[in-house]
Amino acid sequence: NAGVMQNPRHLVRRRGQEARLRCSPMKGHSHVYWYRQLPEEGLKFMVYLQKENIIDESGMPKERFSAEFPKEGPSILRIQQVVRGDSAAYFCASSPLGVWEETQYFGPGTRLLVL
Amino acid sequence: GQQVMQIPQYQHVQEGEDFTTYCNSSTTLSNIQWYKQRPGGHPVFLIQLVKSGEVKKQKRLTFQFGEAKKNSSLHITATQTTDVGTYFCAGRGSSNTGKLIFGQGTTLQVKP
């Protein structure tokens, strides 16, 4: 049973470019969460999605960031016009039902470096 | 908003010594989860506590959830070099959508 998949594992972008991060949840999981981890810090919630729906985006920056989880294919976290402060590890987690008592399983993360 | 504080930020111990990290929430939690992250790795789920006053053990690891469901602790007995990593607590509030609020983590270094 494959775990949560994320790609790319490492991404280098220059300031002003776009970054697209992909997440394929575990088989049978239809709930996806994105978290950001700055160096030496804990993980900060960004957004929670179900297939074709954004459930909670309270942690998403108001500008330049967007997320989607289409009916087919992986969840995408998109960062437009990246800045150096966007450099971080971005982790995706998935769960089967999205209920409060469920465990979230994390992917290996995408390390984004903005030059 | 809801906050989860974790102390200490760093802990250096000699192999064989015990280690404890503490987690405190600004609000009552519905449950709390603990994760371990190795350098360059991703958070790996360790355990979930749900009931007030709950205590769970995994070999040398003991996890506690406070009576008021606002604090938790992880205690490791007789640390080994394989215990090295950052330990995070992550709480869920009673009314949120399932998102986890992470503490800042405690990084454990073990000297052989």
Side-chain angles (χ1 to χ4, degrees), chain A residues 45-80:
Chain A
F45 168 79
M46 299 181 76
V47 63
Y48 164 32
L49 310 106
Q50 203 178 347
K51 285 281 187 182
E52 299 184 279
N53 286 306
I54 296 175
I55 307 299
D56 181 351
E57 56 182 348
S58 57
M60 285 279 268
K62 299 298 180 195
E63 296 176 348
R64 300 187 299 108
F65 285 72
S66 62
E68 62 177 6
F69 190 13
K71 188 176 180 181
E72 300 291 337
S75 176
I76 307 283
L77 179 67
R78 184 182 175 207
I79 311 172
Q80 294 177 290

PDB file of all heavy atoms in Angstrom, chain A residues 45-80:
ATOM      1  N   PHE A  45      -0.447  24.775   9.501  1.00  0.00           N
ATOM      2  CA  PHE A  45      -1.536  24.386   8.620  1.00  0.00           C
ATOM      3  C   PHE A  45      -1.771  25.447   7.564  1.00  0.00           C
ATOM      4  O   PHE A  45      -1.756  26.653   7.841  1.00  0.00           O
ATOM      5  CB  PHE A  45      -2.808  24.187   9.445  1.00  0.00           C
ATOM      6  CG  PHE A  45      -4.061  24.052   8.635  1.00  0.00           C
ATOM      7  CD1 PHE A  45      -4.379  22.861   8.024  1.00  0.00           C
ATOM      8  CD2 PHE A  45      -4.922  25.135   8.477  1.00  0.00           C
ATOM      9  CE1 PHE A  45      -5.540  22.739   7.266  1.00  0.00           C
ATOM     10  CE2 PHE A  45      -6.080  25.026   7.734  1.00  0.00           C
ATOM     11  CZ  PHE A  45      -6.385  23.825   7.118  1.00  0.00           C
ATOM     12  N   MET A  46      -2.002  24.994   6.331  1.00  0.00           N
ATOM     13  CA  MET A  46      -2.322  25.920   5.256  1.00  0.00           C
ATOM     14  C   MET A  46      -3.757  25.735   4.770  1.00  0.00           C
ATOM     15  O   MET A  46      -4.560  26.650   4.805  1.00  0.00           O
ATOM     16  CB  MET A  46      -1.362  25.732   4.078  1.00  0.00           C
ATOM     17  CG  MET A  46       0.090  25.993   4.413  1.00  0.00           C
ATOM     18  SD  MET A  46       1.152  25.794   2.996  1.00  0.00           S
ATOM     19  CE  MET A  46       0.793  27.309   2.108  1.00  0.00           C
ATOM     20  N   VAL A  47      -4.063  24.509   4.308  1.00  0.00           N
ATOM     21  CA  VAL A  47      -5.365  24.305   3.677  1.00  0.00           C
ATOM     22  C   VAL A  47      -5.774  22.847   3.789  1.00  0.00           C
ATOM     23  O   VAL A  47      -4.921  21.957   3.842  1.00  0.00           O
ATOM     24  CB  VAL A  47      -5.313  24.761   2.192  1.00  0.00           C
ATOM     25  CG1 VAL A  47      -4.314  23.919   1.408  1.00  0.00           C
ATOM     26  CG2 VAL A  47      -6.673  24.734   1.524  1.00  0.00           C
ATOM     27  N   TYR A  48      -7.090  22.641   3.838  1.00  0.00           N
ATOM     28  CA  TYR A  48      -7.667  21.296   3.906  1.00  0.00           C
ATOM     29  C   TYR A  48      -8.644  21.160   2.750  1.00  0.00           C
ATOM     30  O   TYR A  48      -9.528  21.983   2.568  1.00  0.00           O
ATOM     31  CB  TYR A  48      -8.354  21.129   5.259  1.00  0.00           C
ATOM     32  CG  TYR A  48      -9.332  19.983   5.400  1.00  0.00           C
ATOM     33  CD1 TYR A  48      -9.172  18.787   4.722  1.00  0.00           C
ATOM     34  CD2 TYR A  48     -10.430  20.115   6.253  1.00  0.00           C
ATOM     35  CE1 TYR A  48     -10.081  17.752   4.874  1.00  0.00           C
ATOM     36  CE2 TYR A  48     -11.344  19.086   6.420  1.00  0.00           C
ATOM     37  CZ  TYR A  48     -11.167  17.904   5.720  1.00  0.00           C
ATOM     38  OH  TYR A  48     -12.079  16.893   5.884  1.00  0.00           O
ATOM     39  N   LEU A  49      -8.460  20.107   1.961  1.00  0.00           N
ATOM     40  CA  LEU A  49      -9.296  19.905   0.784  1.00  0.00           C
ATOM     41  C   LEU A  49      -9.873  18.499   0.765  1.00  0.00           C
ATOM     42  O   LEU A  49      -9.254  17.545   1.226  1.00  0.00           O
ATOM     43  CB  LEU A  49      -8.491  20.082  -0.512  1.00  0.00           C
ATOM     44  CG  LEU A  49      -7.645  21.331  -0.656  1.00  0.00           C
ATOM     45  CD1 LEU A  49      -6.179  21.020  -0.500  1.00  0.00           C
ATOM     46  CD2 LEU A  49      -7.876  21.958  -2.016  1.00  0.00           C
ATOM     47  N   GLN A  50     -11.056  18.433   0.206  1.00  0.00           N
ATOM     48  CA  GLN A  50     -11.668  17.169  -0.144  1.00  0.00           C
ATOM     49  C   GLN A  50     -11.783  17.191  -1.657  1.00  0.00           C
ATOM     50  O   GLN A  50     -11.639  18.255  -2.264  1.00  0.00           O
ATOM     51  CB  GLN A  50     -13.040  17.077   0.507  1.00  0.00           C
ATOM     52  CG  GLN A  50     -13.575  15.693   0.695  1.00  0.00           C
ATOM     53  CD  GLN A  50     -14.926  15.716   1.384  1.00  0.00           C
ATOM     54  OE1 GLN A  50     -15.330  16.736   1.929  1.00  0.00           O
ATOM     55  NE2 GLN A  50     -15.628  14.609   1.372  1.00  0.00           N
ATOM     56  N   LYS A  51     -12.078  16.088  -2.262  1.00  0.00           N
ATOM     57  CA  LYS A  51     -12.179  16.061  -3.729  1.00  0.00           C
ATOM     58  C   LYS A  51     -13.088  17.205  -4.224  1.00  0.00           C
ATOM     59  O   LYS A  51     -14.261  17.285  -3.837  1.00  0.00           O
ATOM     60  CB  LYS A  51     -12.758  14.738  -4.194  1.00  0.00           C
ATOM     61  CG  LYS A  51     -11.776  13.578  -4.113  1.00  0.00           C
ATOM     62  CD  LYS A  51     -10.802  13.595  -5.266  1.00  0.00           C
ATOM     63  CE  LYS A  51      -9.938  12.330  -5.271  1.00  0.00           C
ATOM     64  NZ  LYS A  51      -8.944  12.365  -6.359  1.00  0.00           N
ATOM     65  N   GLU A  52     -12.505  18.064  -5.041  1.00  0.00           N
ATOM     66  CA  GLU A  52     -13.212  19.183  -5.698  1.00  0.00           C
ATOM     67  C   GLU A  52     -13.710  20.248  -4.730  1.00  0.00           C
ATOM     68  O   GLU A  52     -14.456  21.151  -5.139  1.00  0.00           O
ATOM     69  CB  GLU A  52     -14.383  18.664  -6.532  1.00  0.00           C
ATOM     70  CG  GLU A  52     -13.957  17.711  -7.649  1.00  0.00           C
ATOM     71  CD  GLU A  52     -15.116  17.294  -8.527  1.00  0.00           C
ATOM     72  OE1 GLU A  52     -15.866  16.376  -8.120  1.00  0.00           O
ATOM     73  OE2 GLU A  52     -15.271  17.890  -9.607  1.00  0.00           O
ATOM     74  N   ASN A  53     -13.342  20.180  -3.469  1.00  0.00           N
ATOM     75  CA  ASN A  53     -13.813  21.175  -2.500  1.00  0.00           C
ATOM     76  C   ASN A  53     -12.685  21.641  -1.605  1.00  0.00           C
ATOM     77  O   ASN A  53     -11.851  20.850  -1.168  1.00  0.00           O
ATOM     78  CB  ASN A  53     -14.911  20.589  -1.606  1.00  0.00           C
ATOM     79  CG  ASN A  53     -16.220  20.451  -2.328  1.00  0.00           C
ATOM     80  OD1 ASN A  53     -16.725  21.412  -2.899  1.00  0.00           O
ATOM     81  ND2 ASN A  53     -16.775  19.250  -2.300  1.00  0.00           N
ATOM     82  N   ILE A  54     -12.672  22.937  -1.312  1.00  0.00           N
ATOM     83  CA  ILE A  54     -11.796  23.468  -0.274  1.00  0.00           C
ATOM     84  C   ILE A  54     -12.626  23.571   1.002  1.00  0.00           C
ATOM     85  O   ILE A  54     -13.632  24.270   1.045  1.00  0.00           O
ATOM     86  CB  ILE A  54     -11.243  24.852  -0.659  1.00  0.00           C
ATOM     87  CG1 ILE A  54     -10.350  24.740  -1.894  1.00  0.00           C
ATOM     88  CG2 ILE A  54     -10.452  25.445   0.512  1.00  0.00           C
ATOM     89  CD1 ILE A  54      -9.852  26.078  -2.414  1.00  0.00           C
ATOM     90  N   ILE A  55     -12.196  22.824   2.041  1.00  0.00           N
ATOM     91  CA  ILE A  55     -12.972  22.779   3.280  1.00  0.00           C
ATOM     92  C   ILE A  55     -12.533  23.889   4.232  1.00  0.00           C
ATOM     93  O   ILE A  55     -13.350  24.536   4.888  1.00  0.00           O
ATOM     94  CB  ILE A  55     -12.826  21.416   3.972  1.00  0.00           C
ATOM     95  CG1 ILE A  55     -13.148  20.276   3.009  1.00  0.00           C
ATOM     96  CG2 ILE A  55     -13.685  21.357   5.214  1.00  0.00           C
ATOM     97  CD1 ILE A  55     -14.555  20.302   2.453  1.00  0.00           C
ATOM     98  N   ASP A  56     -11.226  24.086   4.331  1.00  0.00           N
ATOM     99  CA  ASP A  56     -10.693  25.072   5.282  1.00  0.00           C
ATOM    100  C   ASP A  56      -9.415  25.642   4.702  1.00  0.00           C
ATOM    101  O   ASP A  56      -8.461  24.909   4.495  1.00  0.00           O
ATOM    102  CB  ASP A  56     -10.430  24.395   6.637  1.00  0.00           C
ATOM    103  CG  ASP A  56      -9.902  25.357   7.702  1.00  0.00           C
ATOM    104  OD1 ASP A  56      -9.576  26.515   7.386  1.00  0.00           O
ATOM    105  OD2 ASP A  56      -9.801  24.934   8.870  1.00  0.00           O
ATOM    106  N   GLU A  57      -9.413  26.928   4.396  1.00  0.00           N
ATOM    107  CA  GLU A  57      -8.195  27.561   3.868  1.00  0.00           C
ATOM    108  C   GLU A  57      -7.722  28.668   4.784  1.00  0.00           C
ATOM    109  O   GLU A  57      -7.100  29.641   4.344  1.00  0.00           O
ATOM    110  CB  GLU A  57      -8.423  28.085   2.446  1.00  0.00           C
ATOM    111  CG  GLU A  57      -9.580  29.043   2.304  1.00  0.00           C
ATOM    112  CD  GLU A  57      -9.780  29.498   0.860  1.00  0.00           C
ATOM    113  OE1 GLU A  57      -8.909  29.262   0.020  1.00  0.00           O
ATOM    114  OE2 GLU A  57     -10.844  30.102   0.618  1.00  0.00           O
ATOM    115  N   SER A  58      -8.011  28.526   6.057  1.00  0.00           N
ATOM    116  CA  SER A  58      -7.706  29.590   7.010  1.00  0.00           C
ATOM    117  C   SER A  58      -6.218  29.853   7.179  1.00  0.00           C
ATOM    118  O   SER A  58      -5.824  30.905   7.649  1.00  0.00           O
ATOM    119  CB  SER A  58      -8.322  29.259   8.376  1.00  0.00           C
ATOM    120  OG  SER A  58      -7.852  28.016   8.856  1.00  0.00           O
ATOM    121  N   GLY A  59      -5.369  28.907   6.793  1.00  0.00           N
ATOM    122  CA  GLY A  59      -3.927  29.096   6.933  1.00  0.00           C
ATOM    123  C   GLY A  59      -3.230  29.523   5.648  1.00  0.00           C
ATOM    124  O   GLY A  59      -2.007  29.685   5.628  1.00  0.00           O
ATOM    125  N   MET A  60      -3.982  29.751   4.617  1.00  0.00           N
ATOM    126  CA  MET A  60      -3.380  30.117   3.333  1.00  0.00           C
ATOM    127  C   MET A  60      -3.137  31.621   3.283  1.00  0.00           C
ATOM    128  O   MET A  60      -4.027  32.414   3.613  1.00  0.00           O
ATOM    129  CB  MET A  60      -4.316  29.748   2.173  1.00  0.00           C
ATOM    130  CG  MET A  60      -4.337  28.279   1.876  1.00  0.00           C
ATOM    131  SD  MET A  60      -2.943  27.776   0.890  1.00  0.00           S
ATOM    132  CE  MET A  60      -3.665  27.947  -0.734  1.00  0.00           C
ATOM    133  N   PRO A  61      -1.954  32.033   2.831  1.00  0.00           N
ATOM    134  CA  PRO A  61      -1.755  33.462   2.580  1.00  0.00           C
ATOM    135  C   PRO A  61      -2.789  33.960   1.575  1.00  0.00           C
ATOM    136  O   PRO A  61      -3.225  33.215   0.693  1.00  0.00           O
ATOM    137  CB  PRO A  61      -0.345  33.514   1.994  1.00  0.00           C
ATOM    138  CG  PRO A  61       0.324  32.278   2.507  1.00  0.00           C
ATOM    139  CD  PRO A  61      -0.749  31.240   2.566  1.00  0.00           C
ATOM    140  N   LYS A  62      -3.194  35.212   1.735  1.00  0.00           N
ATOM    141  CA  LYS A  62      -4.292  35.741   0.912  1.00  0.00           C
ATOM    142  C   LYS A  62      -3.918  35.887  -0.548  1.00  0.00           C
ATOM    143  O   LYS A  62      -4.769  35.803  -1.433  1.00  0.00           O
ATOM    144  CB  LYS A  62      -4.727  37.120   1.450  1.00  0.00           C
ATOM    145  CG  LYS A  62      -5.241  37.089   2.874  1.00  0.00           C
ATOM    146  CD  LYS A  62      -6.468  36.239   3.011  1.00  0.00           C
ATOM    147  CE  LYS A  62      -6.951  36.222   4.457  1.00  0.00           C
ATOM    148  NZ  LYS A  62      -7.910  35.146   4.719  1.00  0.00           N
ATOM    149  N   GLU A  63      -2.648  36.097  -0.800  1.00  0.00           N
ATOM    150  CA  GLU A  63      -2.230  36.333  -2.185  1.00  0.00           C
ATOM    151  C   GLU A  63      -1.209  35.289  -2.617  1.00  0.00           C
ATOM    152  O   GLU A  63      -0.490  34.724  -1.805  1.00  0.00           O
ATOM    153  CB  GLU A  63      -1.620  37.739  -2.313  1.00  0.00           C
ATOM    154  CG  GLU A  63      -2.610  38.846  -2.022  1.00  0.00           C
ATOM    155  CD  GLU A  63      -1.969  40.217  -2.067  1.00  0.00           C
ATOM    156  OE1 GLU A  63      -0.731  40.315  -2.106  1.00  0.00           O
ATOM    157  OE2 GLU A  63      -2.722  41.213  -2.062  1.00  0.00           O
ATOM    158  N   ARG A  64      -1.169  35.020  -3.853  1.00  0.00           N
ATOM    159  CA  ARG A  64      -0.167  34.210  -4.566  1.00  0.00           C
ATOM    160  C   ARG A  64      -0.308  32.708  -4.329  1.00  0.00           C
ATOM    161  O   ARG A  64       0.261  31.927  -5.082  1.00  0.00           O
ATOM    162  CB  ARG A  64       1.270  34.629  -4.193  1.00  0.00           C
ATOM    163  CG  ARG A  64       1.592  36.079  -4.510  1.00  0.00           C
ATOM    164  CD  ARG A  64       3.088  36.383  -4.286  1.00  0.00           C
ATOM    165  NE  ARG A  64       3.504  36.164  -2.899  1.00  0.00           N
ATOM    166  CZ  ARG A  64       4.266  35.156  -2.494  1.00  0.00           C
ATOM    167  NH1 ARG A  64       4.677  34.236  -3.347  1.00  0.00           N
ATOM    168  NH2 ARG A  64       4.608  35.063  -1.225  1.00  0.00           N
ATOM    169  N   PHE A  65      -1.010  32.289  -3.311  1.00  0.00           N
ATOM    170  CA  PHE A  65      -1.139  30.860  -2.997  1.00  0.00           C
ATOM    171  C   PHE A  65      -2.536  30.360  -3.365  1.00  0.00           C
ATOM    172  O   PHE A  65      -3.531  31.030  -3.081  1.00  0.00           O
ATOM    173  CB  PHE A  65      -0.913  30.603  -1.505  1.00  0.00           C
ATOM    174  CG  PHE A  65       0.511  30.673  -1.065  1.00  0.00           C
ATOM    175  CD1 PHE A  65       1.167  31.895  -0.986  1.00  0.00           C
ATOM    176  CD2 PHE A  65       1.214  29.523  -0.725  1.00  0.00           C
ATOM    177  CE1 PHE A  65       2.491  31.969  -0.578  1.00  0.00           C
ATOM    178  CE2 PHE A  65       2.536  29.590  -0.310  1.00  0.00           C
ATOM    179  CZ  PHE A  65       3.167  30.808  -0.236  1.00  0.00           C
ATOM    180  N   SER A  66      -2.582  29.175  -3.964  1.00  0.00           N
ATOM    181  CA  SER A  66      -3.867  28.551  -4.244  1.00  0.00           C
ATOM    182  C   SER A  66      -3.696  27.040  -4.171  1.00  0.00           C
ATOM    183  O   SER A  66      -2.578  26.525  -4.313  1.00  0.00           O
ATOM    184  CB  SER A  66      -4.413  28.975  -5.604  1.00  0.00           C
ATOM    185  OG  SER A  66      -3.539  28.560  -6.637  1.00  0.00           O
ATOM    186  N   ALA A  67      -4.793  26.350  -3.951  1.00  0.00           N
ATOM    187  CA  ALA A  67      -4.742  24.888  -3.866  1.00  0.00           C
ATOM    188  C   ALA A  67      -5.982  24.312  -4.503  1.00  0.00           C
ATOM    189  O   ALA A  67      -7.047  24.942  -4.499  1.00  0.00           O
ATOM    190  CB  ALA A  67      -4.632  24.438  -2.407  1.00  0.00           C
ATOM    191  N   GLU A  68      -5.819  23.114  -5.049  1.00  0.00           N
ATOM    192  CA  GLU A  68      -6.949  22.420  -5.630  1.00  0.00           C
ATOM    193  C   GLU A  68      -6.770  20.923  -5.451  1.00  0.00           C
ATOM    194  O   GLU A  68      -5.649  20.425  -5.277  1.00  0.00           O
ATOM    195  CB  GLU A  68      -7.105  22.749  -7.113  1.00  0.00           C
ATOM    196  CG  GLU A  68      -5.930  22.335  -7.962  1.00  0.00           C
ATOM    197  CD  GLU A  68      -6.162  22.607  -9.450  1.00  0.00           C
ATOM    198  OE1 GLU A  68      -7.180  23.205  -9.804  1.00  0.00           O
ATOM    199  OE2 GLU A  68      -5.308  22.174 -10.241  1.00  0.00           O
ATOM    200  N   PHE A  69      -7.872  20.217  -5.498  1.00  0.00           N
ATOM    201  CA  PHE A  69      -7.865  18.753  -5.419  1.00  0.00           C
ATOM    202  C   PHE A  69      -8.950  18.281  -6.379  1.00  0.00           C
ATOM    203  O   PHE A  69     -10.100  18.117  -6.006  1.00  0.00           O
ATOM    204  CB  PHE A  69      -8.144  18.308  -3.994  1.00  0.00           C
ATOM    205  CG  PHE A  69      -7.926  16.835  -3.751  1.00  0.00           C
ATOM    206  CD1 PHE A  69      -7.254  16.031  -4.655  1.00  0.00           C
ATOM    207  CD2 PHE A  69      -8.391  16.260  -2.584  1.00  0.00           C
ATOM    208  CE1 PHE A  69      -7.047  14.682  -4.421  1.00  0.00           C
ATOM    209  CE2 PHE A  69      -8.186  14.903  -2.326  1.00  0.00           C
ATOM    210  CZ  PHE A  69      -7.522  14.123  -3.246  1.00  0.00           C
ATOM    211  N   PRO A  70      -8.573  18.107  -7.653  1.00  0.00           N
ATOM    212  CA  PRO A  70      -9.583  17.782  -8.661  1.00  0.00           C
ATOM    213  C   PRO A  70     -10.133  16.373  -8.491  1.00  0.00           C
ATOM    214  O   PRO A  70      -9.572  15.552  -7.762  1.00  0.00           O
ATOM    215  CB  PRO A  70      -8.811  17.930  -9.983  1.00  0.00           C
ATOM    216  CG  PRO A  70      -7.386  17.710  -9.607  1.00  0.00           C
ATOM    217  CD  PRO A  70      -7.233  18.220  -8.217  1.00  0.00           C
ATOM    218  N   LYS A  71     -11.201  16.117  -9.205  1.00  0.00           N
ATOM    219  CA  LYS A  71     -11.836  14.798  -9.137  1.00  0.00           C
ATOM    220  C   LYS A  71     -10.856  13.705  -9.538  1.00  0.00           C
ATOM    221  O   LYS A  71     -10.832  12.617  -8.961  1.00  0.00           O
ATOM    222  CB  LYS A  71     -13.051  14.783 -10.058  1.00  0.00           C
ATOM    223  CG  LYS A  71     -13.903  13.550  -9.950  1.00  0.00           C
ATOM    224  CD  LYS A  71     -15.141  13.675 -10.832  1.00  0.00           C
ATOM    225  CE  LYS A  71     -16.003  12.425 -10.722  1.00  0.00           C
ATOM    226  NZ  LYS A  71     -17.201  12.520 -11.598  1.00  0.00           N
ATOM    227  N   GLU A  72     -10.060  13.991 -10.557  1.00  0.00           N
ATOM    228  CA  GLU A  72      -9.035  13.041 -10.987  1.00  0.00           C
ATOM    229  C   GLU A  72      -7.671  13.688 -10.820  1.00  0.00           C
ATOM    230  O   GLU A  72      -7.493  14.860 -11.142  1.00  0.00           O
ATOM    231  CB  GLU A  72      -9.241  12.687 -12.471  1.00  0.00           C
ATOM    232  CG  GLU A  72     -10.600  12.056 -12.780  1.00  0.00           C
ATOM    233  CD  GLU A  72     -10.741  10.669 -12.204  1.00  0.00           C
ATOM    234  OE1 GLU A  72      -9.706  10.018 -11.954  1.00  0.00           O
ATOM    235  OE2 GLU A  72     -11.892  10.235 -11.960  1.00  0.00           O
ATOM    236  N   GLY A  73      -6.705  12.923 -10.373  1.00  0.00           N
ATOM    237  CA  GLY A  73      -5.354  13.439 -10.275  1.00  0.00           C
ATOM    238  C   GLY A  73      -4.999  13.938  -8.891  1.00  0.00           C
ATOM    239  O   GLY A  73      -5.832  13.935  -7.963  1.00  0.00           O
ATOM    240  N   PRO A  74      -3.757  14.400  -8.753  1.00  0.00           N
ATOM    241  CA  PRO A  74      -3.259  14.781  -7.431  1.00  0.00           C
ATOM    242  C   PRO A  74      -3.779  16.143  -6.981  1.00  0.00           C
ATOM    243  O   PRO A  74      -4.320  16.925  -7.784  1.00  0.00           O
ATOM    244  CB  PRO A  74      -1.747  14.848  -7.646  1.00  0.00           C
ATOM    245  CG  PRO A  74      -1.600  15.244  -9.082  1.00  0.00           C
ATOM    246  CD  PRO A  74      -2.731  14.569  -9.803  1.00  0.00           C
ATOM    247  N   SER A  75      -3.580  16.427  -5.718  1.00  0.00           N
ATOM    248  CA  SER A  75      -3.808  17.770  -5.214  1.00  0.00           C
ATOM    249  C   SER A  75      -2.616  18.637  -5.615  1.00  0.00           C
ATOM    250  O   SER A  75      -1.471  18.176  -5.644  1.00  0.00           O
ATOM    251  CB  SER A  75      -3.943  17.742  -3.690  1.00  0.00           C
ATOM    252  OG  SER A  75      -4.072  19.055  -3.176  1.00  0.00           O
ATOM    253  N   ILE A  76      -2.891  19.878  -5.938  1.00  0.00           N
ATOM    254  CA  ILE A  76      -1.843  20.813  -6.369  1.00  0.00           C
ATOM    255  C   ILE A  76      -1.841  22.018  -5.436  1.00  0.00           C
ATOM    256  O   ILE A  76      -2.895  22.616  -5.183  1.00  0.00           O
ATOM    257  CB  ILE A  76      -2.089  21.329  -7.802  1.00  0.00           C
ATOM    258  CG1 ILE A  76      -2.285  20.184  -8.779  1.00  0.00           C
ATOM    259  CG2 ILE A  76      -0.968  22.274  -8.232  1.00  0.00           C
ATOM    260  CD1 ILE A  76      -1.026  19.479  -9.180  1.00  0.00           C
ATOM    261  N   LEU A  77      -0.648  22.357  -4.945  1.00  0.00           N
ATOM    262  CA  LEU A  77      -0.448  23.629  -4.244  1.00  0.00           C
ATOM    263  C   LEU A  77       0.358  24.510  -5.183  1.00  0.00           C
ATOM    264  O   LEU A  77       1.445  24.134  -5.622  1.00  0.00           O
ATOM    265  CB  LEU A  77       0.297  23.415  -2.925  1.00  0.00           C
ATOM    266  CG  LEU A  77       0.583  24.683  -2.112  1.00  0.00           C
ATOM    267  CD1 LEU A  77      -0.705  25.300  -1.579  1.00  0.00           C
ATOM    268  CD2 LEU A  77       1.527  24.378  -0.941  1.00  0.00           C
ATOM    269  N   ARG A  78      -0.185  25.655  -5.494  1.00  0.00           N
ATOM    270  CA  ARG A  78       0.425  26.540  -6.475  1.00  0.00           C
ATOM    271  C   ARG A  78       0.843  27.841  -5.808  1.00  0.00           C
ATOM    272  O   ARG A  78       0.039  28.460  -5.088  1.00  0.00           O
ATOM    273  CB  ARG A  78      -0.577  26.817  -7.584  1.00  0.00           C
ATOM    274  CG  ARG A  78      -0.079  27.655  -8.730  1.00  0.00           C
ATOM    275  CD  ARG A  78      -1.216  27.868  -9.722  1.00  0.00           C
ATOM    276  NE  ARG A  78      -0.857  28.752 -10.793  1.00  0.00           N
ATOM    277  CZ  ARG A  78      -1.733  29.491 -11.471  1.00  0.00           C
ATOM    278  NH1 ARG A  78      -3.007  29.434 -11.167  1.00  0.00           N
ATOM    279  NH2 ARG A  78      -1.325  30.262 -12.442  1.00  0.00           N
ATOM    280  N   ILE A  79       2.084  28.227  -6.050  1.00  0.00           N
ATOM    281  CA  ILE A  79       2.588  29.490  -5.506  1.00  0.00           C
ATOM    282  C   ILE A  79       3.033  30.329  -6.693  1.00  0.00           C
ATOM    283  O   ILE A  79       3.956  29.960  -7.436  1.00  0.00           O
ATOM    284  CB  ILE A  79       3.777  29.286  -4.544  1.00  0.00           C
ATOM    285  CG1 ILE A  79       3.464  28.203  -3.512  1.00  0.00           C
ATOM    286  CG2 ILE A  79       4.098  30.604  -3.842  1.00  0.00           C
ATOM    287  CD1 ILE A  79       4.662  27.815  -2.638  1.00  0.00           C
ATOM    288  N   GLN A  80       2.368  31.453  -6.872  1.00  0.00           N
ATOM    289  CA  GLN A  80       2.721  32.341  -7.975  1.00  0.00           C
ATOM    290  C   GLN A  80       3.726  33.388  -7.511  1.00  0.00           C
ATOM    291  O   GLN A  80       3.731  33.796  -6.344  1.00  0.00           O
ATOM    292  CB  GLN A  80       1.468  33.044  -8.508  1.00  0.00           C
ATOM    293  CG  GLN A  80       0.467  32.104  -9.148  1.00  0.00           C
ATOM    294  CD  GLN A  80      -0.788  32.830  -9.607  1.00  0.00           C
ATOM    295  OE1 GLN A  80      -1.583  33.273  -8.787  1.00  0.00           O
ATOM    296  NE2 GLN A  80      -0.960  32.961 -10.898  1.00  0.00           N
TER     297      GLN A  80
END
